[in-house]
Amino acid sequence: PGLRDDVSILTGRPNAVLVVEFQSSEADELTKKVESAFNALTRDLPEAKLSILLDRADQKRVWNIRKAGLGMMMRMKGREKPCAFIEDAAIPIDHLPHYVEDLFAFLAERGLRAGAYAHASVGLLHIRPILNLYEGTGVRQLREVAEKSVELSLKYGGAFSGEHGDGFARSEFLKVTHGEQVIEAFREVKRLFDPDGLMNPGKIVDPYPMDRNLRYGGGYEGKEVETIFDYQEDGSFSNAVDLCSGVGQCRNRFVGVMCPSYMATRNEFHTTRARANALRDALNGRISTRHKNGESDWVSPEVLEALDLCLSCKACKTECPTGVDMARWKAEVLEAHAAVHGRSLSAKLIAHYPDQADLAASMAPISNWVAQSPPVRWVMEKAFGLDRRVPPPRFYRKTLRKWFREFQSSEEYRTSEADKTRSRVVFFVDTFTNINQPAVGIAAIRLLMAGGRHPIIPDNVDEGRTRFSKGFLREARELVGRNLEILEKAIQENWPVVGVEPSSILTFRDEAPNLFKTEISRRLSQSSFTLAEYLDREIREGRMSLPLGPIDGPTRLIFHGHCHAKALADTAAVVRLLNLIPNVEATAIDAGCCGMAGSFGHEKSHYDVAKAVGEERLFPAIREAGSNARVVTEGFSCRHQIEHHIQDSHPSHYAQVLSESLKR
């Protein structure tokens, strides 16, 4: 999913892609070089297509695709995966085609396939045979292919290992490629500097067999456990966890969102792949907790520790080349752990926040005074682990639903309802919009009506986001199911379902289809939109216009997108909408997660990490912009985090900014 925009440079659905880079100071000369090369390459390939990319942004897309080649291959479903063990063979360029043809013919004889990518121009292709290393047959094929590759590389005057070193995968064959005399020289140097063989045993000198230290190997069994989400697409929960290939995209810094906790701590233990490894070891029995009754619990303390700093931001679902979905897996782990050990008071409090918020709203403003008072915040920290430094959200007695009930009797709304030309839009009211930020919901409804739509608010229940975050999956599934029933008429009528809180509305796009394999759930996932996505689509396709005029105050707007929207929606839609305001220049902040992530930043045990996540890129960018820029967000948690950590910062929701600019 993270490469959706990048692959737009490709024409059709090619079987192979060849990238050739030319350099020149003259654009015309570049074009001539490219066309000349293309004509030479495609004399016997009339169906080949040419894309000449002079724009730097397009060129960056090429390298993004190239970089993600490994991860995209590893995204294959099931237990057959492209395996890395012969990929370093470096062959003289004149012989490279023959080496590749011979190797692929050898694979075909055994009913095997392979993927190939990388740098042919220097005589090296990464060829990854697709093997099932969970079974003994696959392990035997691993050795057969390796031995054949060594034979072919020697035949064509190449090197079996030409780029990444030897290690466990290739050291065994060094005697064949280098000869006993050279290997003995290696051994003498090794003994001189490491007489006890402590450093990297089993590599280069006195190597282990290549098939000894396999992650899986014949007889490997990943435990299948009861889950709430459906993992049929992957075959099982264990197979889903095995999607992590260890490629390490989650160790990125300064780009994207994944992985916020690693960016903050710089600790490998807090990467997405480390969490996947912990889950893998738990499912195959390498780590577990044994109870007094003798039963083994796969959710061990080590697994919980590894998952503790996962913010459930969903970035890995999009940015990880293999599509690891750690937020979903963490929810499964917490549900399974609770089935044995019960729930903490803190988890119950946060998961059932929507119920408590209803009561608090009915008692506002007294509830705000009580919740914000220092003694109560001290108690909340001691009893529930909610850091007293972070002010709790405020409640509004006049909720969005109360306002809308009054608004429905107005002439403006009745006229809209009677106008049969107006398209109906279902506005999904989540807990935060209803109780903590009703002004955002009012702005959204004003925008929909200004665009010629008739908004309808159903009597929906909470979508379950707080339950998902704390692993109350059975309760969350029940809430999603009730909403499917409530929204069924709207779905049958093909009315779009729109919301302003990304983590809430995108539940129907992400979690719902994996909880309910029904036609209604599938259709709802396709007809659920963030407000920005819906407005932007309708405007760009000519079905809507908004009467926007200049706004007061700073006209430079810097936008911070919600993590769930970055992963599952189109945050660029917000920037496009804001730039429709006549006197505005809006740009997106190139920053990852804010660090709040629902309740994460409220918890005392996570406060410092949450702050460090924001300080990685987001907070410095806002401070640098200063008072000349207005901060715009789309997530309730994001605004809360920015207001708390940056003095005199008052972020606005994009719906409020657009509503301000509506011509009355």
Side-chain angles (χ1 to χ4, degrees):
L3 294 171
R4 282 194 198 102
D5 292 338
D6 294 331
V7 296
S8 64
I9 63 173
L10 300 179
T11 302
R13 298 176 66 84
N15 291 320
V17 178
L18 177 64
V19 179
V20 185
E21 186 177 43
F22 296 91
Q23 295 182 355
S24 174
S25 58
E26 298 294 333
D28 290 343
E29 183 183 358
L30 274 179
T31 303
K32 289 177 182 178
K33 285 184 176 182
V34 173
E35 290 176 345
S36 175
F38 180 75
N39 292 333
L41 288 165
T42 58
R43 288 192 187 100
D44 300 321
L45 293 171
E47 69 276 21
K49 304 295 182 185
L50 169 66
S51 295
I52 300 177
L53 306 176
L54 300 177
D55 183 75
R56 286 185 182 274
D58 287 338
Q59 292 169 359
K60 184 179 179 182
R61 290 187 176 97
V62 172
W63 299 123
N64 287 345
I65 295 172
R66 157 66 184 88
K67 185 177 180 181
L70 164 60
M72 287 190 288
M73 286 199 292
M74 297 304 294
R75 201 180 179 92
M76 289 179 63
K77 302 295 183 183
R79 292 196 159 182
E80 288 190 339
K81 302 285 186 185
C83 298
F85 61 102
I86 65 168
E87 60 171 9
D88 285 354
I91 311 297
I93 294 173
D94 290 345
H95 298 306
L96 181 63
H98 309 302
Y99 167 84
V100 173
E101 288 169 358
D102 287 357
L103 183 60
F104 271 76
F106 180 83
L107 295 172
E109 290 171 4
R110 285 151 182 77
L112 299 174
R113 298 175 298 141
Y117 76 104
H119 10 251
S121 62
V122 290
L124 192 151
L125 278 177
H126 291 317
I127 299 175
R128 294 203 163 197
I130 299 169
L131 304 174
N132 181 356
L133 295 184
Y134 292 82
E135 299 177 353
T137 300
V139 176
R140 287 194 298 274
Q141 291 170 335
L142 176 81
R143 174 169 288 281
E144 289 175 2
V145 176
E147 291 173 349
K148 186 64 177 180
S149 177
V150 173
E151 175 191 322
L152 291 174
S153 63
L154 291 174
K155 174 182 176 181
Y156 290 114
F160 173 59
S161 175
E163 185 184 6
H164 291 300
D166 302 307
F168 288 140
R170 289 172 284 274
S171 292
E172 178 184 346
F173 302 104
L174 291 178
K175 186 182 293 186
V176 177
T177 59
H178 288 61
E180 183 60 45
Q181 186 176 0
V182 172
I183 294 299
E184 183 57 35
F186 287 170
R187 191 176 285 115
E188 289 181 21
V189 174
K190 175 75 170 175
R191 288 173 184 159
L192 181 63
F193 287 93
D194 183 20
D196 297 322
L198 300 178
M199 301 170 67
N200 278 327
K203 299 176 183 178
I204 313 297
V205 172
D206 301 321
Y208 299 144
M210 68 165 298
D211 45 12
R212 175 186 293 183
N213 291 286
L214 300 179
R215 170 177 282 169
Y216 306 117
Y220 173 93
E221 286 295 333
K223 180 179 181 181
E224 296 307 332
V225 297
E226 181 184 1
T227 62
I228 307 301
F229 285 108
D230 182 273
Y231 294 93
Q232 186 175 357
E233 182 183 2
D234 300 302
S236 67
F237 179 62
S238 177
N239 281 2
V241 171
D242 282 341
L243 278 173
C244 176
S245 63
V247 72
Q249 195 89 358
C250 46
R251 289 176 57 91
N252 275 344
R253 288 185 58 206
F254 311 121
V255 294
V257 179
M258 180 181 70
C259 175
S261 51
Y262 171 74
M263 290 185 188
T265 67
R266 316 285 201 272
N267 189 335
E268 167 71 22
F269 185 76
H270 300 135
T271 61
T272 305
R273 72 176 177 186
R275 296 177 185 121
N277 279 333
L279 283 171
R280 192 168 8 229
D281 283 350
L283 291 170
N284 66 33
R286 290 174 186 163
I287 54 174
S288 62
T289 299
R290 192 163 296 281
H291 300 296
K292 292 179 181 178
N293 61 7
E295 292 186 6
S296 179
D297 181 8
W298 68 278
V299 184
S300 65
E302 292 91 342
V303 172
L304 293 175
E305 183 183 3
L307 292 172
D308 181 53
L309 293 190
C310 171
L311 283 75
S312 298
C313 66
K314 294 186 183 288
C316 51
K317 183 181 175 73
T318 298
E319 295 179 21
C320 171
T322 59
V324 164
D325 193 349
M326 193 56 64
R328 184 175 300 174
W329 303 348
K330 179 180 180 179
E332 294 278 16
V333 168
L334 294 178
E335 174 72 44
H337 182 262
V340 177
H341 302 283
R343 316 266 189 189
S344 68
L345 288 175
S346 176
K348 291 178 181 178
L349 180 75
I350 293 165
H352 297 129
Y353 173 80
D355 306 324
Q356 299 146 12
D358 278 332
L359 177 62
S362 68
M363 300 171 62
I366 296 174
S367 56
N368 286 323
W369 180 81
V370 172
Q372 301 288 338
S373 65
V376 169
R377 285 161 71 169
W378 182 87
V379 170
M380 295 298 286
E381 180 176 292
K382 296 300 180 183
F384 299 101
L386 299 179
D387 200 297
R388 73 182 90 172
R389 289 171 287 184
V390 188
R394 293 188 174 274
F395 308 101
Y396 289 83
R397 181 187 290 269
K398 190 167 187 177
T399 63
L400 176 61
R401 289 189 180 277
K402 287 181 179 178
W403 173 87
F404 189 72
R405 282 195 290 270
E406 295 176 7
F407 181 60
Q408 282 178 300
S409 62
S410 68
E411 182 178 352
E412 180 184 359
Y413 188 81
R414 290 201 308 269
T415 301
S416 169
E417 190 170 29
D419 186 351
K420 299 303 182 184
T421 66
R422 283 183 169 243
S423 300
R424 269 47 180 170
V425 174
V426 175
F427 186 76
F428 184 85
V429 179
D430 62 274
T431 296
F432 300 103
T433 303
N434 184 44
I435 291 171
N436 302 119
Q437 52 177 8
V440 172
I442 294 170
I445 289 170
R446 293 288 188 195
L447 286 166
L448 289 169
M449 294 192 69
R453 301 296 181 265
H454 178 69
I456 300 166
I457 292 184
D459 292 326
N460 61 273
V461 296
D462 180 73
E463 79 293 329
R465 175 49 52 201
T466 55
R467 265 93 163 173
F468 281 116
S469 70
K470 290 300 175 183
F472 286 64
L473 289 190
R474 286 180 170 79
E475 292 183 20
R477 181 173 59 185
E478 182 182 347
L479 289 172
V480 170
R482 287 167 61 187
N483 276 316
L484 289 175
E485 294 174 3
I486 293 166
L487 296 172
E488 183 172 1
K489 180 180 184 299
I491 297 165
Q492 300 288 13
E493 295 288 342
N494 293 319
W495 294 341
V497 181
V498 174
V500 291
E501 185 61 32
S503 62
S504 297
I505 191 65
L506 294 173
T507 298
F508 300 123
R509 189 179 296 178
D510 185 39
E511 285 90 354
N514 284 282
L515 292 172
F516 295 93
K517 295 292 185 179
T518 63
E519 180 65 12
I520 291 296
S521 180
R522 184 190 67 80
R523 289 180 59 182
L524 179 58
S525 72
Q526 296 172 345
S527 59
S528 298
F529 306 94
T530 65
L531 176 70
E533 284 182 310
Y534 176 73
L535 294 178
D536 178 64
R537 184 193 70 173
E538 296 298 287
I539 291 171
R540 287 200 291 162
E541 295 182 5
R543 292 187 293 268
M544 178 192 288
S545 62
L546 290 174
L548 301 177
I551 59 172
D552 296 328
T555 56
R556 182 187 168 212
L557 307 182
I558 54 174
F559 168 67
H560 173 66
H562 189 283
C563 288
H564 287 197
K566 290 175 181 176
L568 305 170
D570 181 11
T571 54
V574 177
V575 177
R576 289 192 292 266
L577 287 172
L578 292 172
N579 279 315
L580 294 177
I581 301 173
N583 62 334
V584 152
E585 179 190 352
T587 57
I589 302 173
D590 182 17
C593 181
C594 72
M596 182 58 81
S599 65
F600 187 89
H602 282 271
E603 296 162 4
K604 185 175 176 61
S605 60
H606 297 147
Y607 180 89
D608 291 335
V609 172
K611 181 180 179 182
V613 169
E615 291 289 0
E616 182 69 15
R617 280 182 287 159
L618 177 61
F619 298 166
I622 294 175
R623 293 190 190 103
E624 185 179 348
S627 59
N628 294 325
R630 181 175 179 180
V631 181
V632 182
T633 63
E634 60 180 330
F636 176 68
S637 293
C638 305
R639 292 195 298 285
H640 204 80
Q641 176 81 328
I642 292 169
E643 284 180 336
H644 173 59
H645 287 288
I646 301 181
Q647 190 174 9
D648 298 325
S649 176
H650 304 288
S652 304
H653 192 282
Y654 67 84
Q656 293 172 297
V657 179
L658 290 167
S659 184
E660 289 173 24
S661 72
L662 285 176
K663 294 177 181 176
R664 302 299 179 183

